[in-house]
Amino acid sequence: MSGVTNFLLPTANYSFDFTGRSLDPPYYYRSVTNGNWNDVNTWEVSSDPTFVSPAPVAAVSVPTSINSSGILVQTATPLP
């Protein structure tokens, strides 16, 4: 993936943008709680941009432009 791609999840009531790099395999991060961007506990990761299969797992590092193909900050989990 390169540049910005729009995804609309058919089972969700929102859309979002991913901006990232092309990685093999790709890693997509999303926030799971309110918190600090630099706190690994704020994030989960999956190789699926819809976070369905494989299911996301707890992140072992925080997302950056180098280690992620996309980063999603969920509406319910705003970051400062």
Side-chain angles (χ1 to χ4, degrees), residues 6-39:
N6 292 317
F7 291 90
L8 178 60
L9 297 178
T11 58
N13 294 324
Y14 57 88
S15 64
F16 50 89
D17 290 332
F18 277 119
T19 301
R21 306 169 51 89
S22 177
L23 299 174
D24 188 29
Y27 292 106
Y28 299 94
Y29 286 79
R30 74 175 173 187
S31 60
V32 293
T33 186
N34 294 341
N36 187 304
W37 184 283
N38 294 317
D39 181 352

Side-chain angles (χ1 to χ4, degrees), residues 1-3 19-23 26-28 64-70:
M1 174 187 302
S2 63
T19 301
R21 306 169 51 89
S22 177
L23 299 174
Y27 292 106
Y28 299 94
T64 68
S65 62
I66 303 298
N67 70 358
S68 63
S69 293

Side-chain angles (χ1 to χ4, degrees), residues 24 35-36 41 44 61-62 73 75:
D24 188 29
N36 187 304
N41 297 309
E44 63 185 4
S61 63
V62 297
V73 177
T75 304

